Amino acid sequence: MVRETRLEASQLVLPLFARGGRKFRRAINAMPGVFQLSPDELLKDARRVFEAGVPAVLLFGIPDRKDAKASGAYAANGIVQQAVKLLKKELPGLYVITDVCLCEYMEHGHCGIVQKDNRGARILNDPTLKLLARTAASHAEAGADMVAPSDMMDGRVHAIRSELDRRGLNEVPIMSYAAKFASGFYGPFREAAESTPRFGDRRSYQMDAGNALEALREVALDVQEGADIVMVKPALAYLDVIYRVKQQFGYPTAAYAVSAEYSMVKAAAANGWIDERAVTMESLLAMRRAGADIIITYAAVEVAKWLAEG
Ligand SMILES: [Zn+2]
């Protein structure tokens, strides 16, 4: 009765990876229990998620083809758009959030348009905004309940908000990856989303692990630009950032417990070194204690089942 912080299934979001085809289910090596799924298989998993009491999923797409302008990201019949349509038709009560980024759809694996010249390669921030806004709007037109831009380009929340409003999608909220740190904890995800950059890294647009004040400035910009929910990513190594963001802005705050946070627990548990349930529950409770209202985690379904067992 006196416990200050509680964890509930209603606070969880499960990421899912969609790719083309039928009856396709490919296990992600480094993330036991996580799969790339064709829409029909994705629907099966989404049904289990929903029945377990997890209210929301976050969709990522792996397109059949990649190119230099990420056409698959905003194609009306792109993989995410197909998956959203199917989920909203078959499971209308499931809240469907889509990841909005270009890296999975770019042949070079970066989150924006790349210009190469004799000084090397650079990400072009402003031309990228148009493509991100187009992508978000096409997800919303397919039926997405909320869009979640993860690219970290400057000005993208405003660009997306304007485009959504222009197309009459003014009720679709934005969850921005507001403080996304360049992190080694993303390793296993890149196998799942097939989005490893072909050259360079993402440090020109993701944040430095040493900078908490910069994180607050990034969050302030996203709030000004119209973000409805702000996210901190990764979660466990950045609990202080979650805490500061919640204290300073009082905004709905999401924490993304990223792939390696999940994989490390799985690996240690498989070796019998830790108690998977205890460590997972304690970690997620710590994110809640730090101030996260919403937790995005690959363990969402297991956690919901553990919570139901009491
Ligand atoms: Zn990206």
Side-chain angles (χ1 to χ4, degrees):
M1 288 170 75
V2 294
R3 188 173 228 193
E4 296 166 21
T5 308
R6 286 168 202 278
L7 181 64
E8 291 169 16
S10 64
Q11 296 152 341
L12 305 175
V13 178
L14 179 78
L16 286 172
F17 297 93
R19 71 176 304 157
R22 282 194 64 236
K23 294 197 187 323
F24 181 89
R25 173 176 291 268
R26 176 187 290 162
I28 311 302
N29 244 335
M31 301 175 73
V34 179
F35 301 88
Q36 292 180 349
L37 301 163
S38 54
D40 53 322
E41 293 290 320
L42 189 123
L43 175 62
K44 284 186 204 162
D45 281 25
R47 209 181 287 279
R48 277 198 285 273
V49 174
F50 194 54
E51 282 164 4
V54 176
V57 295
L58 173 60
L59 284 185
F60 292 86
I62 301 116
D64 297 331
R65 281 183 308 109
K66 302 180 189 247
D67 59 29
K69 44 185 187 121
S71 347
Y74 41 86
N77 204 28
I79 182 60
V80 167
Q81 290 82 350
Q82 284 178 44
V84 169
K85 278 182 209 151
L86 184 65
L87 290 182
K88 289 311 292 183
K89 179 166 160 269
E90 301 292 331
L91 289 170
L94 180 72
Y95 197 80
V96 178
I97 310 166
T98 57
D99 177 83
V100 174
C101 199
L102 306 177
C103 48
E104 295 107 303
Y105 306 89
M106 286 286 197
E107 57 198 11
H108 46 64
H110 279 286
C111 303
I113 297 169
V114 169
Q115 186 177 54
K116 279 184 172 168
D117 54 29
N118 49 15
R119 289 184 298 156
R122 283 177 303 137
I123 306 292
L124 301 181
N125 190 92
D126 293 4
T128 299
L129 299 181
K130 208 173 274 178
L131 297 187
L132 290 167
R134 223 173 132 182
T135 302
S138 87
H139 290 177
E141 278 171 351
D145 295 297
M146 178 156 75
V147 292
S150 61
D151 51 282
M152 288 299 279
M153 298 299 138
D154 290 334
R156 90 273 203 222
V157 173
H158 174 72
I160 289 171
R161 185 73 271 157
S162 308
E163 183 63 14
L164 289 173
D165 292 354
R166 196 181 67 78
R167 297 201 201 182
L169 300 160
N170 42 298
E171 288 182 0
V172 175
I174 299 175
M175 174 166 68
S176 76
Y177 290 62
K180 181 178 180 181
F181 289 87
S183 170
F185 288 94
Y186 302 149
F189 174 90
R190 293 191 178 149
E191 179 198 341
E194 299 181 10
S195 61
T196 308
R198 291 264 179 91
F199 54 84
D201 57 40
R202 298 199 171 108
R203 287 175 192 276
S204 72
Y205 43 102
Q206 295 181 353
M207 295 185 30
D208 184 273
N211 290 5
L213 294 174
E214 187 191 6
L216 296 179
R217 292 197 296 273
E218 291 281 356
V219 172
L221 286 172
D222 282 9
V223 165
Q224 270 169 30
E225 290 179 27
D228 300 278
I229 298 173
V230 289
M231 188 205 295
V232 176
K233 179 183 181 184
L236 203 52
Y238 297 85
L239 291 180
D240 60 314
V241 177
I242 296 171
Y243 180 78
R244 291 195 207 196
V245 166
K246 187 64 185 183
Q247 291 292 312
Q248 182 146 340
F249 300 96
Y251 250 61
T253 303
Y256 196 143
V258 301
S259 55
E261 298 183 49
Y262 173 82
S263 301
M264 292 192 302
V265 172
K266 284 282 179 197
N271 277 294
W273 297 337
I274 59 169
D275 176 337
E276 180 178 356
R277 175 175 170 163
V279 170
T280 303
M281 298 298 255
E282 187 179 332
S283 303
L284 299 194
L285 187 64
M287 294 162 205
R288 291 270 305 126
R289 196 184 63 237
D293 304 289
I294 298 169
I295 299 174
I296 302 160
T297 170
Y298 299 97
V301 176
E302 290 154 300
V303 170
K305 286 180 182 160
W306 291 329
L307 287 168
E309 286 168 12

